[in-house]
Amino acid sequence: VLTIMIGENESSKYWLSVLNSLKNRGINRRKSSKKGMTIIETVISLAVIAIVSFTAIGFIKRFSDVNAKMIYETDARLTVENALECFKYAEDETQFFNALNLTRSGFVRQGGSYILEDYNYTVVIAVSFPPEGAASFTCHATNSSGRVIVSVTSYTKEVAA
């Protein structure tokens, strides 16, 4: 709301010139009647959104691949650690195998080794419990491409006679 106060020495011509001056400066201009965005603006904004989205998806995928790799490598390490603990407390191969299957099911005896084939890694354990002397434990965990995750080359303990 605009209120015009007319003093004794101000005429209507004076105020008309003030209003015309304001109008010419742009105060009384009408806003553009265009509403919305042009097709080019829309296409450009969609392209920017697509670029940002694809970049974000790439980072998320890379992060999830690294996270999955860390999870299965940690699982393989824990499996090897548990197998070594089973070996430390077992008095013979039967006790070892029973304890091993309690900590992680899925081990299969093939020849002189115990093998666990998971989707992302393989654990191969070789143990020997001779009637006299030292029992030995050897274990290797490899990922699906054959890279060694963890390896226990030789662990021995004395077996009670």
Side-chain angles (χ1 to χ4, degrees), residues 63-120:
F63 176 75
S64 65
D65 290 346
V66 168
N67 194 27
K69 180 181 174 186
M70 286 175 38
I71 289 171
Y72 79 74
E73 286 185 0
T74 301
D75 191 33
R77 283 187 182 96
L78 289 173
T79 301
V80 171
E81 287 175 14
N82 289 338
L84 183 58
E85 289 300 312
C86 291
F87 174 76
K88 287 178 183 179
Y89 295 104
E91 294 177 9
D92 59 20
E93 197 166 337
T94 305
Q95 277 186 351
F96 170 75
F97 184 65
N98 290 338
L100 185 64
N101 276 324
L102 285 175
T103 62
R104 174 70 191 256
S105 62
F107 276 97
V108 177
R109 182 164 172 81
Q110 292 181 358
S113 301
Y114 297 95
I115 299 174
L116 171 71
E117 291 182 313
D118 199 308
Y119 178 73
N120 291 310

Side-chain angles (χ1 to χ4, degrees), residues 36-53:
M37 296 172 30
T38 65
I39 197 86
I40 293 174
E41 292 170 331
T42 306
V43 169
I44 290 172
S45 36
L46 286 175
V48 168
I49 290 171
I51 290 169
V52 170
S53 297

Side-chain angles (χ1 to χ4, degrees), residues 76-77 79-84 96 100 107 114 122-127 136-142 148-155:
R77 283 187 182 96
T79 301
V80 171
E81 287 175 14
N82 289 338
L84 183 58
F96 170 75
L100 185 64
F107 276 97
Y114 297 95
T122 302
V123 177
V124 179
I125 302 171
V127 295
S136 65
F137 175 91
T138 304
C139 181
H140 300 283
T142 57
V148 174
I149 298 170
V150 64
S151 178
V152 177
T153 54
S154 180
Y155 183 87

Side-chain angles (χ1 to χ4, degrees), residues 87 128-130 133-137 155-159:
F87 174 76
S128 69
F129 286 90
S136 65
F137 175 91
Y155 183 87
T156 57
K157 72 172 188 170
E158 289 298 319
V159 179

